[in-house]
Amino acid sequence: GLAAAARHGRVVAVHCEDPALLRPGPPTPANRPVAAEVAAVRSACAAAAAAGARLHVVHCSAPEAVAEARRWPGVSVETCPHYLHLTDADADRLGPVAWCAPPLRDAARRDRLWAQLRRGDIDTVASDHSPCPPSLKQGPRPFAGIAGVQTTLSLLLAGPPDGGPPLDLARVAAVRGAAARLLGLRHKGILAAGADADLVLVDPDASWVVGPSTLRQRHPASPFAGRRLTGEVVATYLRGRCIYDRATGPTGLPAGRLVRPC
């Protein structure tokens, strides 16, 4: 698969956890250790290097995994807002609504991820939007996944939870638009003549409280429920057409289409 991707100039995105190092049970750091993430990153990067393929490591939870990915040429890496704002203590307190894989890590690792993000070691911050019906978050084996499309931008604008300085707006824009560059979507993720005019207008001073009345996803559950976040989307444009307005919500019918590298 990597050889085929290399021949066609495509990037391969991989979830990195070595199953041989995982234990059964809830997605806790004890059951899904950092060592499993690092080992899988190393294995995937070595295979990609041998095939001459470009590799993208998705949703890194641990700074050690980011550091391992950075050792290899042609490898890009992402993390998610929940790894930048939540810890294993939050998962213990909140339960399945904060379960994800890889799992949330300790506060020291969370802070190191912020340092890597500032240095440019992390290429992009993705929501890893992973929603499910409430029923799947219950029972003996709750689904592990966090829905984060709507909260990602506000969490990035908020900066680290330890009170450190927030990212500057240019860096926020860079990590949110990087996916288009990594995937070869030259008409996406930029403000330039001939691009698709995909725009989001943000009021950086407005605040909103995360909850069922403000979340627009199908199943309005979030580990950030009850939090007041700063930075609210005023309007969203897709190929120059307004598809969301803060005052009225979504406008018109869905207008998406298949996006291909170009």
Side-chain angles (χ1 to χ4, degrees):
L2 287 166
R7 286 195 302 271
H8 293 281
R10 297 292 183 254
V11 64
V12 177
V14 288
H15 169 110
C16 283
E17 287 184 288
D18 187 337
L21 299 178
L22 303 181
R23 299 173 182 170
T28 64
N31 292 336
R32 306 180 87 98
V34 169
E37 199 171 343
V38 174
V41 170
R42 185 180 301 119
S43 176
C45 289
R54 289 173 53 227
L55 192 75
H56 180 66
V57 182
V58 302
H59 42 248
C60 275
S61 71
E64 295 93 333
V66 174
E68 178 61 34
R70 288 270 73 98
R71 292 180 53 242
W72 299 83
V75 176
S76 54
V77 61
E78 75 181 42
T79 191
C80 302
H82 38 275
Y83 297 128
L84 294 168
H85 278 271
L86 300 174
T87 68
D88 53 347
D90 293 307
D92 291 343
R93 175 175 57 87
L94 295 170
V97 73
W99 286 8
C100 54
L104 300 173
R105 305 294 182 187
D106 57 79
R109 286 189 167 92
R110 177 201 63 193
D111 296 343
R112 287 164 60 194
L113 281 178
W114 274 101
Q116 290 173 319
L117 181 61
R118 291 185 190 282
R119 287 198 303 267
D121 293 341
I122 294 172
D123 297 278
T124 183
V125 177
S127 68
D128 190 34
H129 190 72
S130 186
C132 72
S135 60
L136 294 187
K137 280 289 189 182
Q138 303 167 3
R141 298 184 63 183
F143 177 84
I146 291 175
V149 164
Q150 191 176 339
T151 51
T152 294
L153 182 58
S154 293
L155 290 167
L156 278 175
L157 292 171
D162 65 1
L167 297 176
D168 62 66
L169 293 181
R171 182 70 180 131
V172 172
V175 298
R176 294 301 292 133
R181 173 179 55 81
L182 294 170
L183 295 172
L185 306 177
R186 291 193 293 271
H187 54 299
K188 297 286 185 184
I190 56 172
L191 294 177
D196 272 359
D198 298 332
L199 309 171
V200 59
L201 306 184
V202 180
D203 183 344
D205 299 318
S207 64
W208 61 289
V209 177
V210 181
S213 64
T214 55
L215 287 172
R216 295 184 178 272
Q217 62 209 37
R218 181 175 299 172
H219 307 296
S222 168
F224 300 105
R227 287 202 189 192
R228 179 172 291 278
L229 301 181
T230 300
E232 186 177 11
V233 173
V234 175
T236 305
Y237 290 82
L238 175 65
R239 298 189 300 276
R241 173 178 171 267
C242 183
I243 60 169
Y244 169 81
D245 182 271
R246 178 171 59 181
T248 59
T251 60
L253 296 174
R257 64 188 184 207
L258 184 64
V259 178
R260 298 181 183 275
C262 56

